[in-house]
C-alpha cells in the first residue's frame, strides 16, 4: 500500500483525494469523523458461529493479529480511498437477530477463496494463513461473488456481552447517507446522533480494518466432503496444523470460470 508524503496526515490525504476524484463524493466530506464498518454475523458455509470464531481466532494467532472475515456484499466506493490513505476504520461485529438461512447453515457446496482485488485494483493471493469460505451455490448457479474484511486485532477473538451498539445512531457513508437498511448485512457507516444505551445489538467482536480493508474475492475452489470434515474442527488445531490445513484447502487448479480480475467494486 503506498504511503502518503511525509508530514501528510491520513485525513489530509483523503481530503486531497476527494477534491480530485469524483468517485469519492458523498454528502458530508469531513475526513475527521469516525468511520465504522458494521457487520452482522451468523452461521455461514455450514459452520455455526462459535465454530467460525474459534477458527478465526486461530487464524489471527497464526497471522500475528491479521484475520479475514467473509461478507456477502460489496463495499462502499469510498472504502478503497480510506484504505489507501490509512484512515482508521473500526470493525464492529454483532450477532444477527434472525436465524441463519438453510442455504447458509447447510449448503450443498462450499467454496474456499484464494485471491482478492486490493485497494489499487490489483489481484493478489490471500495471506498464507487466511481462510475464507462461503456457500458455493446460488439460485442462479455457482457463486461468483464474495467479499472479505481485512482485520487486525491484538486481543483474542472472544464473544463480548453487554457492550451495546446502536445502528440507528449511524448513517451510511456514500449515496444519500441513508440509515442502515434491514438487508445490509455489512455497511460502512458514520455516527450522526448520540447512541442509545438500549439498542437491540451488541458489539460482540471488535477489531480494526487493515490492508485493503474490504475486498472482492476471486479464484474460488470447491472443497470435498473430506476437507469439510477437517474444517469443522479446525479451530481446535495448533498454529502449525492450521497453516498446513489452509494450504490443503486452498490447493487445486485455478478455475477458468472464477470471478477473477477487475477492479474493486
Amino acid at each position: 500500500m503506498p504511503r502518503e508524503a511525509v508530514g501528510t496526515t491520513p485525513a489530509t490525504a483523503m481530503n486531497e483525494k476527494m477534491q480530485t476524484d469524483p468517485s469519492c463524493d458523498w454528502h458530508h466530506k469531513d475526513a475527521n469523523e469516525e468511520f465504522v464498518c458494521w457487520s452482522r454475523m451468523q452461521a455461514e458455509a455450514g459452520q455455526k458461529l462459535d465454530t467460525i470464531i474459534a477458527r478465526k481466532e486461530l487464524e489471527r494467532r497464526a497471522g500475528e493479529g491479521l484475520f479475514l472475515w467473509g461478507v456477502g456484499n460489496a463495499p462502499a466506493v469510498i472504502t478503497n480511498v480510506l484504505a489507501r490513505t490509512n484512515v482508521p476504520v473500526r470493525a464492529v461485529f454483532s450477532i444477527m437477530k434472525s436465524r441463519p438461512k438453510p442455504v447458509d447453515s447447510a449448503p450443498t457446496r462450499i467454496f474456499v477463496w484464494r485471491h482478492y482485488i486490493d485497494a489499487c485494483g490489483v489481484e493478489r493471493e490471500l495471506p498464507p494463513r487466511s481462510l475464507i469460505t462461503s456457500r458455493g451455490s446460488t439460485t442462479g448457479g455457482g457463486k461468483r461473488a464474495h467479499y472479505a474484511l481485512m482485520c487486525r486485532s491484538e486481543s483474542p477473538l472472544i464473544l463480548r456481552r453487554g457492550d451495546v451498539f446502536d445502528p440507528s445512531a449511524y448513517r451510511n457513508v456514500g449515496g444519500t447517507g441513508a440509515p442502515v437498511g434491514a438487508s445490509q448485512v455489512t455497511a460502512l457507516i458514520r455516527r450522526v446522533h448520540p447512541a442509545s444505551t438500549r439498542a437491540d445489538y451488541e458489539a460482540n467482536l471488535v477489531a480494526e480494518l487493515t490492508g485493503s480493508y474490504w475486498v472482492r474475492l476471486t479464484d474460488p475452489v470447491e472443497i470435498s466432503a473430506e476437507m469439510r470434515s477437517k474444517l469443522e474442527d479446525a479451530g481446535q488445531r495448533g498454529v502449525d496444523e492450521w497453516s498446513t490445513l489452509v494450504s490443503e484447502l486452498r490447493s487445486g487448479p485455478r478455475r477458468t470460470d472464477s470471478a477473477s480480475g477487475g477492479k474493486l467494486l
Side-chain angles (χ1 to χ4, degrees):
M1 184 183 301
R3 296 179 181 271
E4 62 270 11
V6 175
T8 301
T9 66
T12 300
M14 189 177 73
N15 274 326
E16 292 174 352
K17 175 68 176 175
M18 290 189 295
Q19 291 171 9
T20 58
D21 188 345
S23 69
C24 299
D25 186 28
W26 79 88
H27 75 291
H28 187 74
K29 299 178 180 178
D30 181 0
N32 296 311
E33 63 191 332
E34 177 189 7
F35 294 97
V36 173
C37 182
W38 183 50
S39 186
R40 285 175 274 192
M41 55 186 181
Q42 189 50 275
E44 168 70 19
Q47 286 195 313
K48 296 180 180 179
L49 181 58
D50 57 352
T51 302
I52 295 173
I53 292 175
R55 69 175 174 87
K56 286 293 133 181
E57 167 57 15
L58 186 54
E59 179 180 325
R60 187 198 67 84
R61 288 168 48 202
E64 299 181 342
L66 175 69
F67 68 98
L68 273 64
W69 192 280
V71 297
N73 55 296
V77 174
I78 191 63
T79 306
N80 61 342
V81 179
L82 300 179
R84 293 200 300 267
T85 51
N86 297 314
V87 173
V89 178
R90 191 164 58 113
V92 175
F93 300 89
S94 300
I95 297 175
M96 193 176 292
K97 297 302 178 184
S98 59
R99 301 181 65 178
K101 298 177 181 178
V103 70
D104 291 318
S105 59
T108 57
R109 304 168 66 192
I110 293 180
F111 280 173
V112 166
W113 299 81
R114 302 182 290 188
H115 289 77
Y116 71 99
I117 307 299
D118 73 8
C120 295
V122 178
E123 186 178 38
R124 300 184 183 277
E125 185 175 2
L126 287 172
R129 294 174 178 83
S130 294
L131 185 69
I132 298 294
T133 62
S134 75
R135 55 186 168 90
S137 301
T138 66
T139 54
K143 187 175 178 65
R144 296 183 61 84
H146 201 54
Y147 305 85
L149 304 178
M150 305 187 80
C151 303
R152 179 170 294 280
S153 174
E154 300 306 322
S155 302
L157 301 181
I158 301 173
L159 281 178
R160 300 161 48 171
R161 299 291 183 178
D163 189 357
V164 173
F165 184 80
D166 178 16
S168 68
Y170 294 79
R171 293 293 182 268
N172 278 285
V173 177
T176 61
V180 180
S183 62
Q184 281 186 276
V185 177
T186 305
L188 179 65
I189 55 180
R190 64 181 183 88
R191 185 183 295 191
V192 296
H193 300 301
S196 169
T197 58
R198 297 185 178 182
D200 290 335
Y201 288 96
E202 295 179 327
N204 299 113
L205 290 178
V206 177
E208 298 290 331
L209 294 190
T210 189
S212 288
Y213 285 16
W214 186 347
V215 299
R216 181 164 67 86
L217 301 172
T218 65
D219 187 26
V221 60
E222 185 173 354
I223 60 174
S224 66
E226 179 184 0
M227 287 292 100
R228 289 177 67 164
S229 64
K230 289 185 177 181
L231 182 62
E232 190 61 29
D233 66 353
Q236 303 173 20
R237 298 168 181 261
V239 170
D240 290 340
E241 290 180 297
W242 170 258
S243 300
T244 299
L245 178 62
V246 171
S247 180
E248 289 180 11
L249 289 168
R250 284 169 50 171
S251 65
R254 187 178 178 94
R255 294 166 54 97
T256 57
D257 62 341
S258 72
S260 61
K263 297 289 185 179
L264 180 70
L265 297 180

